Amino acid sequence: MITRSLAIIPTIIVVYITGEEGTEKLLILSQVILSLQLSFAVIPLVLFTGNRARMGEFVNGRKLQALAWFTAFLIAVLNIWLLVQTAMGNQ
């Protein structure tokens, strides 16, 4: 209950002060932050699943590793682009 209150109270304050427009901006900002965190999950996952010492016989093959690295790179590039666009105000 305490942690939920700590998460909800700032949102209620923003909604009360800024109205619908502030809520929209807050939602967009939260999604930008969540998408930026995605690279911090995907890259270690690709490293871990491509490591034969850790995964043994379950290690990803070369084609899957290449696809995984391409995807991780694409996510990182798109997040950088999103960050730049958001900072410039061109949503």
Side-chain angles (χ1 to χ4, degrees), residues 10-56:
T11 306
I12 292 172
I13 293 171
V14 168
V15 170
Y16 180 75
I17 293 173
T18 62
E20 189 175 321
E21 184 178 314
T23 306
E24 179 184 358
K25 288 181 180 181
L26 184 63
L27 180 61
I28 291 171
L29 178 62
S30 71
Q31 295 307 303
V32 168
I33 291 170
L34 285 172
S35 70
L36 290 173
Q37 293 174 347
L38 186 58
S39 291
F40 292 101
V42 171
I43 292 173
L45 182 66
V46 172
L47 282 169
F48 184 82
T49 59
N51 186 331
R52 183 166 298 281
R54 293 180 191 260
M55 295 299 293

Side-chain angles (χ1 to χ4, degrees), residues 67-82:
L67 180 62
W69 278 114
F70 174 76
T71 304
F73 177 76
L74 183 63
I75 289 170
V77 168
L78 288 173
N79 280 328
I80 291 169
W81 181 74
L82 175 63

